[in-house]
Amino acid sequence: MEYMAESTDRSPGHILCCECGVPISPNPANICVACLRSKVDISQGIPKQVSISFCKQCQRYFQPPGTWIQCALESRELLALCLKKIKAPLSKVRLVDAGFVWTEPHSKRLKVKLTIQKEVMNGAILQQVFVVDYVVQSQMCGDCHRVEAKDFWKAVIQVRQKTLHKKTFYYLEQLILKYGMHQNTLRIKEIHDGLDFYYSSKQHAQKMVEFLQCTVPC
């Protein structure tokens, strides 16, 4: 007579969903995923459409409370900015994954696909995937607004030379273009015996003064 050893490999049992009667693996709520989702919406309270401001002149996005940052489309920086817009509602759930859904670059729309989790009935963990639509609104930033006004400046550099020829200014012009020192200049005005450089901040003007002192006799 031979004794057969009882197999220790046992497949987990199944129960019936208390709502629809479909066989499911046991879970704390004793309910299938479809029925659980029909009863509980863990994305409730998270806005599905959000507005975001964009300055067309300098290609920057507005980051509250008062910062404008430059972000490429579908970049990590832009994704972080989008998530900050809904930071408070997202704090009530667990963010599993986030990524952009492709949209036409000129559609003025950004779509972010979110995957979230939350503990619901009797400790059951429910996961949900949904898309948040960001409407890109055009808004001119303060810096560009002042540039467009053409009458706002905080510092001016007056460069003068008492001579009959303009060779020094021609040489200085080539150096300024070569090293890109004109990028922070609001306006360059030509007057008798020299040039005036206008700047929106004293720091930019001071940088230009240091450049002049290193390149031409002052």
Side-chain angles (χ1 to χ4, degrees), residues 173-185 199 207-208 211:
E173 179 185 9
Q174 296 301 319
L175 291 178
I176 290 174
L177 294 175
K178 179 180 179 180
Y179 294 103
M181 297 303 297
H182 63 289
Q183 294 180 356
N184 295 321
T185 307
Y199 293 90
K207 186 177 179 181
M208 184 63 171
F211 174 77

Side-chain angles (χ1 to χ4, degrees), residues 27-218:
N27 61 66
N30 294 329
I31 189 172
C32 68
V33 175
C35 294
L36 189 59
R37 284 178 177 171
S38 65
K39 286 180 170 292
V40 182
D41 182 14
I42 62 175
S43 69
Q44 187 175 7
I46 301 176
K48 305 304 187 295
Q49 187 175 73
V50 184
S51 62
I52 185 170
S53 299
F54 176 71
C55 178
K56 294 189 295 185
Q57 276 75 8
C58 61
Q59 304 290 305
R60 293 188 299 176
Y61 292 89
F62 179 65
Q63 177 177 293
T67 308
W68 291 83
I69 60 175
Q70 196 154 13
C71 306
L73 286 176
E74 300 190 5
S75 63
R76 294 172 60 91
E77 294 78 12
L78 184 56
L79 181 60
L81 177 61
C82 292
L83 293 179
K84 284 182 180 179
K85 297 285 289 185
I86 55 174
K87 181 179 180 181
L90 277 181
S91 62
K92 300 178 182 179
V93 298
R94 179 173 178 265
L95 181 63
V96 178
D97 188 33
F100 284 105
V101 178
W102 187 88
T103 56
E104 177 65 33
H106 302 290
S107 64
K108 295 187 180 295
R109 291 289 190 276
L110 297 173
K111 294 183 181 292
V112 178
K113 183 179 180 181
L114 301 178
T115 303
I116 60 174
Q117 288 181 349
K118 186 178 181 180
E119 184 176 319
V120 289
M121 302 168 56
N122 299 326
I125 302 298
L126 184 62
Q127 180 170 302
Q128 188 171 342
V129 180
F130 62 99
V131 175
V132 179
D133 189 11
Y134 290 83
V135 181
V136 181
Q137 297 180 341
S138 297
Q139 177 182 343
M140 186 179 292
C141 68
D143 294 337
C144 292
H145 186 75
R146 288 189 289 267
V147 171
E148 288 294 321
K150 296 182 180 179
D151 60 353
F152 176 86
W153 52 271
K154 288 186 177 180
V156 58
I157 300 175
Q158 297 177 332
V159 183
R160 302 290 185 270
Q161 184 184 26
K162 301 295 183 178
T163 181
L164 297 177
H165 64 81
K166 299 292 184 181
K167 294 181 180 179
T168 304
F169 283 104
Y170 294 149
Y171 172 69
L172 181 60
E173 179 185 9
Q174 296 301 319
L175 291 178
I176 290 174
L177 294 175
K178 179 180 179 180
Y179 294 103
M181 297 303 297
H182 63 289
Q183 294 180 356
N184 295 321
T185 307
L186 294 178
R187 182 160 52 103
I188 301 176
K189 184 179 179 181
E190 183 178 358
I191 62 173
H192 182 65
D193 292 336
L195 298 170
D196 286 349
F197 297 85
Y198 294 87
Y199 293 90
S200 60
S201 68
K202 187 178 179 180
Q203 289 78 9
H204 291 156
Q206 184 63 38
K207 186 177 179 181
M208 184 63 171
V209 170
E210 294 173 357
F211 174 77
L212 293 174
Q213 291 174 341
C214 294
T215 54
V216 294
C218 296

